[in-house]
Amino acid sequence: MGMEQLEDIEIQLLLEGLYRYYGFDFRNYALASLKRRILNMVQAEGLKSVSGLQEKILHDPECLERFLFNLSVNVTTMFRDPEFFLAFRTKVVPILRTYPFIRIWHAGCSTGEEVYSMAILLKEEGLYHRSRLYATDINETVLRQAKTGIFSLKLMQEYTHNYIKAGGKSSFSKYYTAAYGNAIFSSELKENIVFSLHNLVTDNSFNEFHVIFCRNVLIYFNKLLQNRVHTLLYESLIRLGILGLGRQESIKFTAYEKNYEKLEGGDKLYRKIS
Ligand SMILES: C[S@@+](CC[C@H](N)C(=O)[O-])C[C@H]1O[C@@H](n2cnc3c(N)ncnc32)[C@H](O)[C@@H]1O
């Protein structure tokens, strides 16, 4: 067995430890990029092996924070975690139908795949014309890309697959035009989207929303910061509004645990109740 295989085993053990001890689940992350980041961190911490890093992370919460920060990435996909979007379609859309106007905030939208997915979903449910989607991020570069609505054509196979699993009602390819290796999404999808810079850590609330998605953002923050951002999200939601979190995130163990209830049949979808 070579060095590389040993490293892979050590990485698996580290990820298992992280999950079992802290509840952070990176076990299904793409190994190549994860591995690169982990090996960089072994060096940066002055350690000899991934096992050394495992020991440090499990015993030193500050090292855990650095680890999470290093893993902070802009990675996103359309209809990410399709079952989440399916649950949104079946459980939340009926609630949204009861509102004359719908405001949705995508906090930490990265390059925009999430908000375009929402635009498609709302179009198919006949709700887009009375919705306004606010897509914000701290990072200007990703926002600039989000505004273009252009993604690599190579990704379309995966996104089509996600779209179908998420309950897509049409043919995914009708939403984009292929040109020079790119998928250019229909500008109709952008009509009711507002892209804007917003820092969750330092900026205040700017509206009241019926739905807020803050997915795969808080995972990179420490507890203190998570609670601070949860205050902002809580204050920005209307009563009975819906909060959507990422797969490795939960409202449990936050200061707002009691203010939300889990939406039945909707993993990672929470309703503000008090
Ligand atoms: C992994 S992406 C998540 C994208 C999308 N929500 C998803 O789930 O696929 C995390 C994003 O959070 C953004 N972010 C990190 N810190 C932030 C902050 N303080 N305020 C706003 N956005 C932040 C990053 O720039 C990045 O684009």
Side-chain angles (χ1 to χ4, degrees):
M1 188 181 289
M3 192 58 194
E4 188 142 344
Q5 281 151 309
L6 179 58
E7 242 163 37
D8 286 352
I9 292 172
E10 289 179 282
I11 289 174
Q12 278 171 12
L13 292 173
L14 164 65
L15 299 183
E16 191 62 33
L18 262 171
Y19 177 61
R20 294 194 28 199
Y21 190 54
Y22 292 113
F24 290 113
D25 192 357
F26 292 104
R27 293 173 302 171
N28 293 315
Y29 263 48
L31 187 63
S33 102
L34 200 62
K35 190 169 172 177
R36 200 172 51 244
R37 283 161 204 274
I38 289 172
L39 294 181
N40 284 345
M41 186 153 174
V42 169
Q43 270 204 331
E45 297 282 326
L47 300 164
K48 288 202 190 74
S49 67
V50 178
S51 299
L53 182 63
Q54 174 184 311
E55 192 205 324
K56 203 165 173 191
I57 289 177
L58 291 181
H59 293 278
D60 175 359
E62 282 181 12
C63 183
L64 169 74
E65 271 166 40
R66 288 195 294 279
F67 178 78
L68 295 178
F69 182 79
N70 282 332
L71 251 61
S72 168
V73 276
N74 299 113
V75 167
T76 180
T77 50
M78 283 185 97
F79 297 99
R80 183 178 196 166
D81 307 323
E83 58 289 352
F84 171 89
F85 276 91
L86 183 62
F88 186 87
R89 207 186 262 270
T90 52
K91 307 288 170 194
V92 180
V93 162
I95 299 172
L96 298 185
R97 285 197 199 290
T98 65
Y99 299 124
F101 197 79
I102 304 156
R103 277 188 304 276
I104 301 180
W105 180 17
H106 293 265
C109 67
S110 189
T111 39
E113 282 84 337
E114 185 182 88
V115 69
Y116 285 98
S117 307
M118 179 63 91
I120 290 172
L121 190 156
L122 292 173
K123 276 226 181 256
E124 293 186 355
E125 297 298 333
L127 291 175
Y128 187 71
H129 65 285
R130 52 176 154 122
S131 305
R132 174 128 316 164
L133 316 183
Y134 297 81
T136 65
D137 203 281
I138 191 182
N139 182 332
E140 219 168 337
T141 315
V142 292
L143 262 185
R144 210 173 304 125
Q145 217 212 300
K147 280 182 203 168
T148 67
I150 300 175
F151 305 106
S152 167
L153 200 56
K154 285 193 202 127
L155 298 167
M156 292 307 121
Q157 201 180 350
E158 180 196 347
Y159 291 180
T160 305
H161 192 63
N162 284 355
Y163 165 79
I164 294 166
K165 278 189 15 197
K169 289 185 171 167
S170 183
S171 156
F172 186 62
S173 59
K174 86 168 197 201
Y175 296 107
Y176 64 85
T177 313
Y180 306 108
N182 286 322
I184 303 166
F185 277 74
S186 156
S187 54
E188 272 182 29
L189 294 174
K190 274 191 276 195
E191 267 167 17
N192 297 345
I193 304 178
V194 180
F195 293 97
S196 166
L197 269 179
H198 183 276
N199 184 341
L200 285 163
V201 180
T202 50
D203 293 338
N204 291 324
S205 176
F206 56 95
N207 215 326
E208 272 211 310
F209 302 93
H210 302 85
V211 176
I212 300 177
F213 277 14
C214 187
R215 304 174 67 217
N216 307 297
V217 180
L218 293 169
I219 192 167
Y220 304 115
F221 295 173
N222 67 18
K223 267 268 159 288
L224 197 82
L225 210 51
Q226 282 179 10
N227 277 330
R228 196 200 169 290
V229 175
H230 269 299
T231 302
L232 175 65
L233 301 178
Y234 174 80
E235 287 173 354
S236 306
L237 262 183
I238 63 158
R239 205 177 74 83
L240 300 179
I242 302 290
L243 176 67
L245 298 178
R247 189 148 59 95
Q248 295 122 17
E249 294 158 343
S250 170
I251 196 75
K252 233 176 154 192
F253 307 125
T254 73
Y256 290 87
E257 183 175 356
K258 300 227 156 38
N259 302 98
Y260 292 91
E261 69 181 14
K262 222 173 140 179
L263 214 65
E264 212 178 306
D267 202 20
K268 306 303 174 194
L269 285 163
Y270 302 91
R271 195 163 200 198
K272 176 172 166 178
I273 48 168
S274 64

